[in-house]
Amino acid sequence: MPQVRANGLTLEYDSVGEGPAILLVSGLGVPMTRWAEPFCERLAGQGFRVIRFDNRDVGLSTHLHGAPVPDFAALAAAVARGERPAVPYTLDDMAADTVGLFDALGIERAHLAGRSMGGMIAQLVAAGHPHRVLSLAAIMSSTGNPALPQAAPTVMAALARPAPDPAADEAGFLAHSAAFARLIAGPGFPFDEAAHRAQALAEARQSRDPAGFARQIAAIAATGDLRPRLARITAPTLVVHGADDPLVPPAAGRDIAANIPGTELMIIDGMGHDLPPPLHGPVADAILHNMRRTKSLWT
């Protein structure tokens, strides 16, 4: 896959299709390949250039190996005191990476979709650079509002539990990964454990960086509440959220919709914190519908 220099980093990306660009922003600790190829191809088939990329500290983009691993106790204490904690970077820096990718690829304006943490990054891009974002889709994401319901305790415990090192215990690593994927999956769709294990193994063999994962968690915590910025968003906005999301409860999606004027809200029964194959078509079609709300601005 090709690489570009953006915001002082090397970003790995790929694209499919031709036409106006839609940029897909990935979530916490996961590479671009979580945007499945059939999903990308469905969007591209409607006349768009679909671009996905690895965020910093993930996949084949730059990893900040020299940056410190956050002390989460100190981080939580600072946030509780209302202070901005010292972290290697925030989601604002990751939003600047995304804008840098626009620039490196010669894209003046694009449609933007983000999932989970990527949805928060996409909101920041749309708020900070409204002239460059044609439409916005935030999938299973949040505003960072501290008053929102938190993840279920069992989910938070599983998220914090270190995975076995796949180089030393591949079976244990895959069991851990599949168990967490099953925990956050929605009850309304089949869970393909074999596919999750294959995906986890491929990602680990490409690049595994627990410290980078921790830095991204710290970036979310340090960025805080996005709501004061969301009124600046002018792009037609779609929010997609699972009614059964145990990691980012659906109140978070409703909060995005409540804070961005004119947002279309799509709550999907049976959907958790994942995007299983049966939802590729409905979610892609909803994104395309939202993009067409800016038909006169496609180019």
Side-chain angles (χ1 to χ4, degrees), residues 117-135:
M117 179 190 74
M120 300 180 77
I121 294 169
Q123 290 173 70
L124 289 171
V125 175
H129 304 269
H131 60 292
R132 304 198 68 174
V133 178
L134 294 172
S135 71

Side-chain angles (χ1 to χ4, degrees), residues 264-291:
E264 292 190 350
L265 176 63
M266 181 180 183
I267 301 291
I268 301 177
D269 289 338
M271 176 181 170
H273 199 76
D274 62 350
L275 195 58
L279 287 179
H280 289 172
V283 173
D285 290 348
I287 291 172
L288 288 163
H289 171 76
N290 185 58
M291 291 161 69

Side-chain angles (χ1 to χ4, degrees), residues 76-175:
V79 170
R81 293 192 300 267
E83 299 173 359
R84 188 179 181 94
V87 294
Y89 55 85
T90 69
L91 296 186
D92 289 290
D93 297 299
M94 299 182 78
D97 297 346
T98 305
V99 175
L101 182 60
F102 275 48
D103 294 339
L105 296 178
I107 297 170
E108 181 60 30
R109 296 184 296 181
H111 301 276
L112 197 58
R115 57 192 291 166
S116 197
M117 179 190 74
M120 300 180 77
I121 294 169
Q123 290 173 70
L124 289 171
V125 175
H129 304 269
H131 60 292
R132 304 198 68 174
V133 178
L134 294 172
S135 71
L136 170 65
I139 304 166
M140 49 191 173
S141 191
S142 179
T143 61
N145 177 355
L148 287 169
Q150 301 301 302
T154 52
V155 174
M156 288 304 296
L159 181 67
R161 190 177 303 124
D165 182 348
D169 182 8
E170 183 177 291
F173 169 79
L174 293 177

Side-chain angles (χ1 to χ4, degrees), residues 2-261:
Q3 295 181 331
V4 294
R5 293 291 294 176
N7 198 27
L9 307 173
T10 297
L11 297 182
E12 182 89 358
Y13 78 97
D14 75 357
S15 67
V16 59
E18 299 292 337
I22 173 170
L23 195 65
L24 305 178
V25 190
S26 297
L28 173 65
V30 299
M32 69 173 96
T33 48
R34 290 294 180 99
W35 293 105
E37 289 185 6
F39 179 84
C40 296
E41 289 165 357
R42 189 175 185 108
L43 294 172
Q46 296 300 308
F48 293 94
R49 180 188 182 193
V50 181
I51 302 163
R52 55 184 184 167
F53 70 102
D54 289 337
N55 287 312
R56 60 169 68 192
D57 268 335
V58 171
L60 299 178
S61 289
T62 296
H63 289 242
L64 282 71
H65 295 302
V69 178
D71 179 331
F72 287 111
L75 179 69
V79 170
R81 293 192 300 267
E83 299 173 359
R84 188 179 181 94
V87 294
Y89 55 85
T90 69
L91 296 186
D92 289 290
D93 297 299
M94 299 182 78
D97 297 346
T98 305
V99 175
L101 182 60
F102 275 48
D103 294 339
L105 296 178
I107 297 170
E108 181 60 30
R109 296 184 296 181
H111 301 276
L112 197 58
R115 57 192 291 166
S116 197
M117 179 190 74
M120 300 180 77
I121 294 169
Q123 290 173 70
L124 289 171
V125 175
H129 304 269
H131 60 292
R132 304 198 68 174
V133 178
L134 294 172
S135 71
L136 170 65
I139 304 166
M140 49 191 173
S141 191
S142 179
T143 61
N145 177 355
L148 287 169
Q150 301 301 302
T154 52
V155 174
M156 288 304 296
L159 181 67
R161 190 177 303 124
D165 182 348
D169 182 8
E170 183 177 291
F173 169 79
L174 293 177
H176 176 279
S177 299
F180 183 72
R182 185 182 291 276
L183 184 64
I184 64 173
F189 302 92
F191 180 79
D192 188 339
E193 181 164 335
H196 279 284
R197 284 173 173 261
Q199 181 181 61
L201 185 58
E203 291 175 0
R205 286 176 173 171
Q206 181 192 65
S207 174
R208 181 172 180 267
D209 187 357
F213 180 82
R215 286 189 288 269
Q216 289 193 351
I217 291 177
I220 296 170
T223 303
D225 194 342
L226 308 186
R227 289 177 299 162
R229 309 193 225 179
L230 299 186
R232 305 175 199 164
I233 295 175
T234 57
T237 299
L238 167 72
V239 170
V240 178
H241 216 103
D244 299 284
D245 189 331
L247 181 61
V248 183
R254 294 189 178 97
D255 200 43
I256 300 173
N259 283 278
I260 302 176

